[in-house]
Amino acid sequence: MTTKALDPITLDIMWGRMIATVNEQAAALMRSSFTSIVRDAGDLSACVFDRRGRMVAQAVTGSPGHINSMATGMAHIVEEFPIDSLRPGDVIITNDPWITVSQLHDITIATPVFHKGRAVALFANCCHALDIGGRGLSADARSIFEEGLFLPIMKLHEAGEPVQPIYKMIEKNVRTPEEVIGDIHAQIIANEVGARQLRSFLEEFDLDDIEAVSEAIIERSEGAMRRALADLPDGRHEFGLTLDGFRSPIEICCAVRIAGEEIIVDYSGTSPTVELGINVGFNYTVAYTTYGVKCAIAPEVPNNAGSFLPIRTVAPQGCILNAQPPAAVAGRHTVGHFLPSAIMGALSGILPDKVMAPGADSLWNTHIAGHDARDGAYFSYTWFSTGGTGALRGQDGLSATSYPSGVAGVPAEIIEALTPLVVRQRSLRPDSGGAGENRGGLGQIMEIEVRTERPYLFSGLYERCAHPAPGLDGGQAGATGAVETSNGETVEPKISRMLPPDTVVTLHIPGGGGFGDPAKRSGEAIREDIADGYVTPEGARDDYGSGAG
């Protein structure tokens, strides 16, 4: 079947089937996962690629950092293992930060699909491993060599047979081998589910492969993206963000240039690579750049290899957004998650009705490990928390909602069921959303107790504790974040430390920036905010003055 033979109705049906296939792939991964990071938070991606390694479709569930990094990383995998060199039962593994998701904790599994004796596609997925050895999930390391087990692109299974030395190497280098290897098996199963669905698709439509379908989808996605860009005026637009960084601020400089049907996002002038692990591999920078551009300009265009083609990303080598090996990168999201906000800030002058003010942006990742007081057993647990998003023109920001990562917060009941942690409080944080004609979303307050009789390890990869999310178009900044302890112990964001067993930690997660002049917010909206507990009467008077009456 050729591209010309695919009429719009048939193509639409095929596209729906492709999306259903990768959604089933993702669902299989979540159902069979050993960890709440994947099962409940959805920190994963699932995609199908054509023979050339081009991403055709992605599952609805997933993080843009995983999905878009894997989309560009697949080119490296098919270069290492050309598709016609693969055999049925082969499984490829890697966590190379510079070609996939810019962090050793994120493991990618790729599997070829065979139909009529020929490799016709690749299914791949990526999810966050509970542990990868090294220093654990913190920014303490000074190089990638300290951060854990580095898996180059290699075969985990050959012709259906597990490569046992690789499994043994993983088992002996992680603290939680059952969960890590269990999730790797879940990833393999997920790809097999996708492959089975794809073979059914090929048989139903009497196709030898997906090349004609892939070509049509990618061509149309590229065309739609180029048309959206052509509707915008040519020009250069700039925006800057200041982040906490590690003990000294980081500047993200973003210049967006629109030239006809193309867009160039240039991060020249951004702060250089730092000594500890908050650096970002370029692949991850590209991932969140393409996502930010699509959100602002053409969110309706499918996210695949075609929609990426008109977007070019520039980040000088050695800046924090293009860190070179062996830079430490475990906390790369504490910088990379801010790129969509930088892009939207740059485009706010020409797309004021489509952009969102900066929000908390970066996930707050908390890792606690120690010994359960009930039975003395060792435990290790990571969860993600979310702050408020920025407001848009005509819409308040969302409270305790993950953007841009899309990862969900894990319910308190699950945290308590799986660990000796007690969530003593989890509530929206009043007055944390930036004032504006539209208010920024609220952050959260989380109070955590650990049922242990020994000191425990605490690590928090947190941002916006010193530099809040700024507003747009006259909107005010959201509240900064903070970490408090019940006994005065100091907890420094991004660094792990041991805490006494009686330490209760309280997280004050930041809010999003406001949009528009606060004086223009209606009195009715302010009164509703007070009634709902989003804003205290004192906060309303401070932010809105006489309008709060």
Side-chain angles (χ1 to χ4, degrees), residues 446-457:
M446 286 192 71
E447 186 177 346
I448 306 297
E449 177 185 354
V450 185
R451 288 178 291 188
T452 185
E453 296 173 348
R454 308 187 209 178
Y456 64 88
L457 178 73

Side-chain angles (χ1 to χ4, degrees), residues 91-175:
V91 174
I92 298 165
I93 187 172
T94 185
N95 67 350
D96 186 330
W98 282 274
I99 64 171
T100 53
V101 194
S102 190
Q103 183 193 71
L104 292 178
H105 276 81
D106 292 312
I107 296 175
T108 296
I109 298 287
T111 308
V113 184
F114 285 80
H115 180 62
K116 297 181 179 179
R118 177 170 170 262
V120 296
L122 290 148
F123 276 90
N125 65 70
C126 177
C127 66
H128 184 105
L130 179 60
D131 188 78
I132 202 67
R135 288 180 173 264
L137 190 61
S138 75
D140 296 7
R142 297 177 185 275
S143 77
I144 194 72
F145 302 116
E146 299 178 47
E147 291 188 322
L149 181 62
F150 190 123
L151 301 168
I153 301 171
M154 53 188 173
K155 287 186 181 180
L156 182 65
H157 289 200
E158 285 201 77
E161 293 297 320
V163 182
Q164 291 298 344
I166 298 178
Y167 277 104
K168 289 180 180 179
M169 180 176 63
I170 295 170
E171 179 185 357
K172 297 301 182 182
N173 279 278
V174 301
R175 300 172 182 85

Side-chain angles (χ1 to χ4, degrees), residues 232-233 237 295-297 343-357 391-395 437-438 472-474 514-516:
L232 300 177
H237 313 277
C295 285
I297 293 174
I343 291 164
M344 289 198 180
L347 293 173
S348 60
I350 60 170
L351 293 171
D353 296 327
K354 286 192 170 184
V355 300
M356 183 166 64
L392 299 87
R393 177 171 287 178
Q395 183 177 323
E437 183 174 2
N438 293 102
L472 285 181
D473 194 32
F515 197 107

Side-chain angles (χ1 to χ4, degrees), residues 224-440:
M225 193 71 194
R226 290 192 184 279
R227 287 191 295 274
L229 288 167
D231 287 339
L232 300 177
D234 287 359
R236 178 184 169 92
H237 313 277
E238 298 182 359
F239 193 76
L241 284 173
T242 301
L243 311 182
D244 301 351
F246 179 79
R247 294 178 181 164
S248 61
I250 288 169
E251 301 295 334
I252 293 180
C253 299
C254 177
V256 177
R257 183 165 66 88
I258 299 167
E261 296 182 347
E262 295 186 344
I263 186 167
I264 300 96
V265 182
D266 190 341
Y267 296 107
S268 296
T270 292
S271 296
T273 302
V274 297
E275 187 177 19
L276 296 184
I278 57 173
N279 301 295
V280 187
F282 185 63
N283 209 38
Y284 197 74
T285 294
V286 171
Y288 272 108
T289 299
T290 51
Y291 179 69
V293 168
K294 275 194 79 282
C295 285
I297 293 174
E300 72 286 352
V301 175
N303 192 63
N304 56 46
S307 61
F308 302 153
L309 289 173
I311 306 169
R312 186 158 68 91
T313 305
V314 177
Q317 284 194 9
C319 82
I320 200 165
L321 296 176
N322 191 356
Q324 300 298 297
V329 292
R332 86 292 193 229
H333 69 279
T334 61
V335 175
H337 281 179
F338 291 94
L339 301 185
S341 280
I343 291 164
M344 289 198 180
L347 293 173
S348 60
I350 60 170
L351 293 171
D353 296 327
K354 286 192 170 184
V355 300
M356 183 166 64
D361 289 346
S362 175
L363 288 170
W364 274 38
N365 293 5
T366 304
H367 177 74
I368 296 178
H371 293 83
D372 192 327
R374 295 167 293 186
D375 57 10
Y378 177 79
F379 74 94
S380 177
Y381 191 74
T382 300
W383 79 93
F384 308 133
S385 307
T386 57
T389 71
L392 299 87
R393 177 171 287 178
Q395 183 177 323
D396 292 343
L398 301 175
S399 299
T401 298
S402 172
Y403 177 86
S405 81
V407 172
V410 177
E413 295 83 356
I414 290 176
I415 294 174
E416 293 181 341
L418 296 176
T419 71
L421 306 181
V422 178
V423 183
R424 292 174 44 166
Q425 178 185 356
R426 191 176 205 173
S427 62
L428 294 180
R429 184 182 172 196
D431 295 330
S432 59
E437 183 174 2
N438 293 102
R439 171 185 48 74

Side-chain angles (χ1 to χ4, degrees), residues 19-33:
I19 293 296
T21 295
V22 288
N23 282 342
E24 184 62 26
Q25 177 195 6
L29 175 52
M30 294 178 75
R31 286 195 300 266
S32 54
S33 171

